[in-house]
């Protein structure tokens, strides 16, 4: 009986779904998402995706402008040049790049440092543009639904442990953003490699850069670089097969530019700050081991080298919160917000600091500001606490119900609040 209902359900889905032509292959395929829905989905999830992965890199806006210029060259020669393409550099140490439906793309600062010239950057962006142009996200969603895996857009996993003062994690309540970074199938990856090389060549780049890029990734995967396993390798697994196929494809497109000097000029600030980010990563590791004093020493070094980096000030504030130094923590979060006023996390953390200091009005203002950028479980929990303290039980109940849905220790704490309110 279950099988019968499952087959009937699939039949209904197939009736609702339409046949569309793949702009890259020219073949007809079943899709639950129209091209218009793709664009709407990308526009809706693009901002939260950026927020949940470090926000935009703002120390040197010129780098993003440069990446955008390269991306636009490739998008113009793609099979869907009319998509509303956008390109951002995310302030994230993990080497990764991704594309959402509708042409919304991102590349992490942590991947850019492994590249050597503009042609290699074009290889990364060209590959991601193919994912958008060939409607791979829509195909993945359709396949998942038909296989009974549910709709692809899903909540981001919650990483919080408990609503403690200096919470070093910050999980999102319900963001479809990261779900689009699901593992693509082998066919999608090979197609993106092949067509991406074609886009590179049409834009005037040396296609050999795509071969070099895969060779770099294969070597790093053999060394089990944890950053790559967490990032690019998780969604775009490298292989010798991809290297060999890229060689065969690149051979069809001789010539092209590398633009190494232009790339190095664009990367000058990131490269100059390399030691500062290394110290920041050391501080994060030490903080995870609860060695807060040692961690603070490293983050202070990072700040001394690059005081415009909001992540450094943010981590300093978190470490001060762990040491119950709320006033000093607020000062650090002030600096983080000044450096990047459009990133959710320091608002949430400053709100928690204000709450612990008994400044509920200021806390509520900051927590609500953080929620506008990215709803988080911990901010929702504290907003429930503030509403309860104000005597607004109805609003408090709504906040605690939302927080409870996230699960984990915060979810249990929220459930406890709800039970006591009944």
């Amino acid at each position: 009986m279950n099988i019968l209902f499952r087959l009937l359900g699939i039949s209904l889905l197939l009736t609702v779904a339409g046949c569309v032509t793949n702009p890259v292959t020219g073949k007809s395929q079943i899709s639950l998402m129209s091209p218009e829905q793709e664009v709407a989905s990308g526009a809706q999830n693009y901002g939260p995706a950026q927020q949940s992965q470090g926000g935009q890199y703002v120390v040197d806006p010129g780098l993003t402008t440069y990446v955008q210029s390269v991306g636009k060259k490739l998008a113009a020669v793609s099979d869907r040049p009319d998509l509303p393409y956008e390109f951002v550099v995310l302030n994230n140490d993990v080497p990764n790049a991704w594309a959402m439906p509708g042409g919304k793309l991102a590349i992490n600062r942590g991947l850019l440092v492994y590249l050597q010239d503009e042609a290699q950057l074009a290889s990364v962006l060209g590959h991601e543009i193919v994912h958008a142009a060939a409607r791979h996200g829509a195909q993945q969603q359709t396949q998942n639904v038909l296989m009974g895996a549910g709709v692809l857009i899903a909540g981001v996993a919650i990483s919080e442990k408990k609503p403690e003062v200096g919470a070093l994690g910050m999980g999102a309540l319900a963001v479809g953003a990261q779900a689009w970074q699901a593992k693509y199938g082998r066919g999608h990856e090979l197609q993106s490699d092949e067509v991406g090389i074609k886009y590179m060549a049409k834009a005037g780049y040396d296609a050999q850069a795509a071969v070099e890029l895969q060779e770099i990734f294969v070597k790093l995967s053999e060394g089990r670089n944890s950053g790559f396993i967490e990032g690019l390798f998780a969604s775009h697994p490298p292989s010798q097969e991809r290297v060999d196929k890229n060689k065969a494809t690149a051979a069809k497109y001789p010539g092209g530019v590398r633009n190494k000097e232009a790339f190095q000029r664009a990367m000058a600030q990131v490269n100059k700050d390399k030691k500062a980010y290394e110290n920041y990563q050391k501080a994060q590791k030490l903080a995870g081991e609860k060695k807060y004093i040692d961690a603070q020493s490293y983050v202070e070094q990072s700040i001394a080298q690059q005081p415009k980096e909001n992540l450094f000030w943010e981590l300093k504030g978190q470490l001060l919160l762990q040491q119950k130094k709320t006033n000093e923590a607020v000062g650090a979060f002030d600096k983080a917000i000044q450096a990047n006023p459009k990133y959710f996390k320091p608002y949430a953390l400053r709100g928690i600091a204000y709450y612990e200091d008994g400044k509920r009005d200021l806390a509520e203002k900051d927590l609500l500001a953080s929620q506008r950028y990215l709803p988080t479980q911990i901010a929702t929990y504290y907003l429930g606490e503030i509403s309860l303290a104000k005597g607004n039980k109805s609003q408090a109940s709504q906040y605690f119900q939302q927080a409870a849905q996230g699960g984990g220790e915060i979810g249990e704490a929220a459930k406890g609040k709800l039970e006591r309110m009944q």
Side-chain angles (χ1 to χ4, degrees):
M1 184 64 68
N2 288 338
I3 293 175
L4 176 60
F5 279 119
R6 180 177 170 80
L7 290 173
L8 288 171
I10 291 174
S11 176
L12 178 61
L13 283 170
L14 289 172
T15 301
V16 174
C19 284
V20 298
T21 300
N22 187 305
V24 172
T25 65
K27 297 179 180 179
S28 181
Q29 62 190 39
I30 296 172
S31 179
L32 292 171
M33 182 180 287
S34 70
E36 293 76 19
Q37 288 172 324
E38 280 186 84
V39 171
S41 172
Q44 178 183 357
N45 290 301
Y46 196 40
Q50 295 173 48
Q51 291 288 323
S52 67
Q53 296 172 71
Q56 293 189 24
Y57 171 71
V58 297
V59 172
D60 179 13
L63 178 59
T64 295
T65 301
Y66 171 75
V67 169
Q68 289 171 342
S69 69
V70 176
K72 287 176 181 178
K73 287 181 190 176
L74 294 157
V77 299
S78 73
D79 292 288
R80 294 178 78 184
D82 56 333
L83 282 177
Y85 288 98
E86 291 186 58
F87 304 86
V88 294
V89 176
L90 296 184
N91 202 14
N92 194 314
D93 291 309
V94 175
N96 203 8
W98 47 261
M100 284 187 167
K104 306 304 184 190
L105 284 77
I107 184 169
N108 287 4
R109 169 176 48 75
L111 177 56
L112 285 168
V113 297
Y114 284 92
L115 308 183
Q116 299 169 352
D117 56 40
E118 190 174 301
Q120 291 185 357
L121 171 61
S123 176
V124 174
L125 297 180
H127 178 100
E128 297 303 330
I129 286 171
V130 179
H131 281 314
R135 310 191 75 237
H136 287 166
Q139 290 177 46
Q140 190 73 28
Q141 182 192 38
T142 300
Q143 180 181 354
N144 285 355
V145 172
L146 295 179
M147 290 177 65
V151 178
L152 184 60
I153 298 180
V156 176
I158 304 300
S159 61
E160 300 290 357
K161 290 185 177 180
K162 58 182 178 178
E164 60 184 22
V165 174
L168 291 170
M170 190 64 63
L173 268 177
V175 183
Q178 291 182 348
W180 285 113
Q181 296 171 61
K183 293 180 181 179
Y184 287 115
R186 174 175 169 274
H188 285 167
E189 286 300 297
L190 292 176
Q191 184 181 71
S192 290
D193 284 347
E194 180 180 3
V195 180
I197 290 173
K198 183 181 78 172
Y199 292 171
M200 284 178 64
K202 288 177 71 175
Y205 291 106
D206 183 353
Q208 288 298 318
V211 179
E212 298 165 3
L213 197 65
Q214 283 301 318
E215 289 175 336
I216 291 171
F217 292 166
V218 168
K219 287 181 181 178
L220 287 168
S221 68
E222 290 171 350
R224 298 194 66 78
N225 181 295
S226 60
F228 270 92
I229 292 169
E230 180 184 349
L232 199 70
F233 292 171
S235 54
H236 302 74
S239 67
Q240 188 58 44
E241 177 191 20
R242 291 178 67 179
V243 172
D244 295 340
K245 286 187 177 293
N246 278 10
K247 284 180 179 178
T249 303
K252 302 175 185 177
Y253 305 101
V257 299
R258 303 299 299 234
N259 290 354
K260 185 172 184 176
E261 290 184 5
F263 180 80
Q264 293 301 329
R265 284 196 300 271
M267 286 290 293
Q269 189 63 60
V270 172
N271 290 331
K272 182 180 179 182
D273 295 337
K274 182 179 179 181
K275 184 65 176 177
Y277 288 110
E278 288 176 354
N279 285 332
Y280 169 71
Q281 290 171 36
K282 290 177 183 176
Q284 287 181 305
K285 184 175 184 296
L286 288 166
E289 298 169 356
K290 298 187 177 182
K291 299 176 181 178
Y292 304 127
I293 303 299
D294 293 337
Q296 189 172 333
S297 175
Y298 276 105
V299 83
E300 293 285 8
Q301 293 177 49
S302 296
I303 290 171
Q305 184 172 345
Q306 182 46 271
K308 295 180 181 179
E309 176 51 77
N310 59 282
L311 295 183
F312 300 164
W313 288 107
E314 178 192 300
L315 181 55
K316 178 178 178 179
Q318 288 177 282
L319 294 168
L320 290 167
L321 270 182
Q322 291 286 3
Q323 299 169 62
K324 312 299 181 185
K325 298 177 180 179
T326 54
N327 287 335
E328 292 178 55
V330 166
F333 294 135
D334 288 344
K335 293 284 190 179
I337 291 169
Q338 289 168 18
N340 186 358
K342 295 183 178 181
Y343 182 45
F344 85 99
K345 196 171 181 181
Y347 288 107
L349 291 168
R350 190 174 68 177
I352 294 171
Y354 278 139
Y355 178 85
E356 294 299 324
D357 225 15
K359 300 173 181 177
R360 289 178 184 149
D361 288 342
L362 290 173
E364 184 176 34
K365 182 180 177 181
D366 269 353
L367 291 167
L368 288 172
S370 78
Q371 296 286 77
R372 285 193 289 272
Y373 288 111
L374 184 72
T376 57
Q377 187 186 28
I378 196 166
T380 302
Y381 179 89
Y382 274 99
L383 284 168
E385 290 276 29
I386 292 169
S387 295
L388 190 60
K390 287 183 174 182
N392 191 336
K393 291 186 178 181
S394 175
Q395 188 176 57
S397 177
Q398 291 178 20
Y399 281 130
F400 288 134
Q401 285 174 17
Q402 291 174 29
Q405 292 173 10
E409 293 189 41
I410 291 181
E412 291 303 313
K415 288 178 182 178
K417 291 285 184 179
L418 288 167
E419 289 174 2
R420 287 191 288 274
M421 288 172 62
Q422 291 177 354

mmCIF file with all atom_site columns, all heavy atoms in Angstrom, residues 62 76 91 130 142 240 303 312 346 405:
data_model
loop_
_atom_site.group_PDB
_atom_site.id
_atom_site.type_symbol
_atom_site.label_atom_id
_atom_site.label_alt_id
_atom_site.label_comp_id
_atom_site.label_asym_id
_atom_site.label_entity_id
_atom_site.label_seq_id
_atom_site.pdbx_PDB_ins_code
_atom_site.Cartn_x
_atom_site.Cartn_y
_atom_site.Cartn_z
_atom_site.occupancy
_atom_site.B_iso_or_equiv
_atom_site.pdbx_formal_charge
_atom_site.auth_seq_id
_atom_site.auth_comp_id
_atom_site.auth_asym_id
_atom_site.auth_atom_id
_atom_site.pdbx_PDB_model_num
ATOM 1  N N   . GLY A 1 62  ? 37.739 46.404 -3.525  1.00 0.00 ? 62  GLY A N   1
ATOM 2  C CA  . GLY A 1 62  ? 38.262 46.291 -4.881  1.00 0.00 ? 62  GLY A CA  1
ATOM 3  C C   . GLY A 1 62  ? 38.388 44.855 -5.347  1.00 0.00 ? 62  GLY A C   1
ATOM 4  O O   . GLY A 1 62  ? 38.273 44.576 -6.548  1.00 0.00 ? 62  GLY A O   1
ATOM 5  N N   . ALA A 1 76  ? 28.552 36.671 -19.842 1.00 0.00 ? 76  ALA A N   1
ATOM 6  C CA  . ALA A 1 76  ? 28.141 37.238 -21.124 1.00 0.00 ? 76  ALA A CA  1
ATOM 7  C C   . ALA A 1 76  ? 28.247 36.238 -22.269 1.00 0.00 ? 76  ALA A C   1
ATOM 8  O O   . ALA A 1 76  ? 27.523 36.351 -23.261 1.00 0.00 ? 76  ALA A O   1
ATOM 9  C CB  . ALA A 1 76  ? 28.973 38.479 -21.438 1.00 0.00 ? 76  ALA A CB  1
ATOM 10 N N   . ASN A 1 91  ? 33.720 36.306 3.233   1.00 0.00 ? 91  ASN A N   1
ATOM 11 C CA  . ASN A 1 91  ? 34.792 36.416 4.219   1.00 0.00 ? 91  ASN A CA  1
ATOM 12 C C   . ASN A 1 91  ? 34.890 35.118 5.014   1.00 0.00 ? 91  ASN A C   1
ATOM 13 O O   . ASN A 1 91  ? 34.559 35.055 6.192   1.00 0.00 ? 91  ASN A O   1
ATOM 14 C CB  . ASN A 1 91  ? 34.511 37.597 5.149   1.00 0.00 ? 91  ASN A CB  1
ATOM 15 C CG  . ASN A 1 91  ? 35.762 38.100 5.827   1.00 0.00 ? 91  ASN A CG  1
ATOM 16 O OD1 . ASN A 1 91  ? 36.878 37.767 5.443   1.00 0.00 ? 91  ASN A OD1 1
ATOM 17 N ND2 . ASN A 1 91  ? 35.591 38.929 6.835   1.00 0.00 ? 91  ASN A ND2 1
ATOM 18 N N   . VAL A 1 130 ? 28.112 27.457 -15.102 1.00 0.00 ? 130 VAL A N   1
ATOM 19 C CA  . VAL A 1 130 ? 27.453 26.338 -15.791 1.00 0.00 ? 130 VAL A CA  1
ATOM 20 C C   . VAL A 1 130 ? 26.395 25.707 -14.900 1.00 0.00 ? 130 VAL A C   1
ATOM 21 O O   . VAL A 1 130 ? 25.305 25.353 -15.361 1.00 0.00 ? 130 VAL A O   1
ATOM 22 C CB  . VAL A 1 130 ? 28.471 25.276 -16.258 1.00 0.00 ? 130 VAL A CB  1
ATOM 23 C CG1 . VAL A 1 130 ? 27.742 24.112 -16.949 1.00 0.00 ? 130 VAL A CG1 1
ATOM 24 C CG2 . VAL A 1 130 ? 29.491 25.880 -17.205 1.00 0.00 ? 130 VAL A CG2 1
ATOM 25 N N   . THR A 1 142 ? 14.430 18.459 -8.317  1.00 0.00 ? 142 THR A N   1
ATOM 26 C CA  . THR A 1 142 ? 13.442 17.558 -8.903  1.00 0.00 ? 142 THR A CA  1
ATOM 27 C C   . THR A 1 142 ? 13.778 16.103 -8.598  1.00 0.00 ? 142 THR A C   1
ATOM 28 O O   . THR A 1 142 ? 12.919 15.311 -8.221  1.00 0.00 ? 142 THR A O   1
ATOM 29 C CB  . THR A 1 142 ? 13.372 17.779 -10.429 1.00 0.00 ? 142 THR A CB  1
ATOM 30 O OG1 . THR A 1 142 ? 13.004 19.138 -10.689 1.00 0.00 ? 142 THR A OG1 1
ATOM 31 C CG2 . THR A 1 142 ? 12.348 16.845 -11.060 1.00 0.00 ? 142 THR A CG2 1
ATOM 32 N N   . GLN A 1 240 ? 41.212 12.233 -10.712 1.00 0.00 ? 240 GLN A N   1
ATOM 33 C CA  . GLN A 1 240 ? 42.103 12.181 -11.872 1.00 0.00 ? 240 GLN A CA  1
ATOM 34 C C   . GLN A 1 240 ? 41.285 12.127 -13.160 1.00 0.00 ? 240 GLN A C   1
ATOM 35 O O   . GLN A 1 240 ? 41.716 12.632 -14.202 1.00 0.00 ? 240 GLN A O   1
ATOM 36 C CB  . GLN A 1 240 ? 43.020 10.955 -11.775 1.00 0.00 ? 240 GLN A CB  1
ATOM 37 C CG  . GLN A 1 240 ? 44.116 10.913 -12.829 1.00 0.00 ? 240 GLN A CG  1
ATOM 38 C CD  . GLN A 1 240 ? 45.021 12.132 -12.790 1.00 0.00 ? 240 GLN A CD  1
ATOM 39 O OE1 . GLN A 1 240 ? 45.428 12.578 -11.724 1.00 0.00 ? 240 GLN A OE1 1
ATOM 40 N NE2 . GLN A 1 240 ? 45.322 12.688 -13.969 1.00 0.00 ? 240 GLN A NE2 1
ATOM 41 N N   . ILE A 1 303 ? 44.434 41.714 14.961  1.00 0.00 ? 303 ILE A N   1
ATOM 42 C CA  . ILE A 1 303 ? 43.867 43.064 14.946  1.00 0.00 ? 303 ILE A CA  1
ATOM 43 C C   . ILE A 1 303 ? 44.956 44.108 14.717  1.00 0.00 ? 303 ILE A C   1
ATOM 44 O O   . ILE A 1 303 ? 44.763 45.075 13.972  1.00 0.00 ? 303 ILE A O   1
ATOM 45 C CB  . ILE A 1 303 ? 43.117 43.350 16.258  1.00 0.00 ? 303 ILE A CB  1
ATOM 46 C CG1 . ILE A 1 303 ? 41.831 42.515 16.313  1.00 0.00 ? 303 ILE A CG1 1
ATOM 47 C CG2 . ILE A 1 303 ? 42.796 44.835 16.402  1.00 0.00 ? 303 ILE A CG2 1
ATOM 48 C CD1 . ILE A 1 303 ? 41.108 42.548 17.640  1.00 0.00 ? 303 ILE A CD1 1
ATOM 49 N N   . PHE A 1 312 ? 37.984 39.654 13.184  1.00 0.00 ? 312 PHE A N   1
ATOM 50 C CA  . PHE A 1 312 ? 38.957 39.679 14.279  1.00 0.00 ? 312 PHE A CA  1
ATOM 51 C C   . PHE A 1 312 ? 38.337 40.325 15.524  1.00 0.00 ? 312 PHE A C   1
ATOM 52 O O   . PHE A 1 312 ? 38.459 39.807 16.640  1.00 0.00 ? 312 PHE A O   1
ATOM 53 C CB  . PHE A 1 312 ? 40.220 40.448 13.873  1.00 0.00 ? 312 PHE A CB  1
ATOM 54 C CG  . PHE A 1 312 ? 40.943 39.878 12.675  1.00 0.00 ? 312 PHE A CG  1
ATOM 55 C CD1 . PHE A 1 312 ? 41.892 40.641 12.000  1.00 0.00 ? 312 PHE A CD1 1
ATOM 56 C CD2 . PHE A 1 312 ? 40.687 38.596 12.215  1.00 0.00 ? 312 PHE A CD2 1
ATOM 57 C CE1 . PHE A 1 312 ? 42.574 40.127 10.905  1.00 0.00 ? 312 PHE A CE1 1
ATOM 58 C CE2 . PHE A 1 312 ? 41.357 38.072 11.113  1.00 0.00 ? 312 PHE A CE2 1
ATOM 59 C CZ  . PHE A 1 312 ? 42.292 38.857 10.455  1.00 0.00 ? 312 PHE A CZ  1
ATOM 60 N N   . PRO A 1 346 ? 27.841 40.080 14.880  1.00 0.00 ? 346 PRO A N   1
ATOM 61 C CA  . PRO A 1 346 ? 28.203 40.945 16.011  1.00 0.00 ? 346 PRO A CA  1
ATOM 62 C C   . PRO A 1 346 ? 26.991 41.635 16.650  1.00 0.00 ? 346 PRO A C   1
ATOM 63 O O   . PRO A 1 346 ? 27.018 41.940 17.845  1.00 0.00 ? 346 PRO A O   1
ATOM 64 C CB  . PRO A 1 346 ? 29.171 41.965 15.387  1.00 0.00 ? 346 PRO A CB  1
ATOM 65 C CG  . PRO A 1 346 ? 28.939 41.895 13.925  1.00 0.00 ? 346 PRO A CG  1
ATOM 66 C CD  . PRO A 1 346 ? 28.517 40.493 13.633  1.00 0.00 ? 346 PRO A CD  1
ATOM 67 N N   . GLN A 1 405 ? 12.150 24.666 17.804  1.00 0.00 ? 405 GLN A N   1
ATOM 68 C CA  . GLN A 1 405 ? 12.199 23.924 16.551  1.00 0.00 ? 405 GLN A CA  1
ATOM 69 C C   . GLN A 1 405 ? 13.636 23.624 16.104  1.00 0.00 ? 405 GLN A C   1
ATOM 70 O O   . GLN A 1 405 ? 13.864 22.690 15.349  1.00 0.00 ? 405 GLN A O   1
ATOM 71 C CB  . GLN A 1 405 ? 11.483 24.711 15.449  1.00 0.00 ? 405 GLN A CB  1
ATOM 72 C CG  . GLN A 1 405 ? 9.988  24.819 15.643  1.00 0.00 ? 405 GLN A CG  1
ATOM 73 C CD  . GLN A 1 405 ? 9.336  25.743 14.633  1.00 0.00 ? 405 GLN A CD  1
ATOM 74 O OE1 . GLN A 1 405 ? 9.964  26.173 13.668  1.00 0.00 ? 405 GLN A OE1 1
ATOM 75 N NE2 . GLN A 1 405 ? 8.068  26.068 14.858  1.00 0.00 ? 405 GLN A NE2 1
#
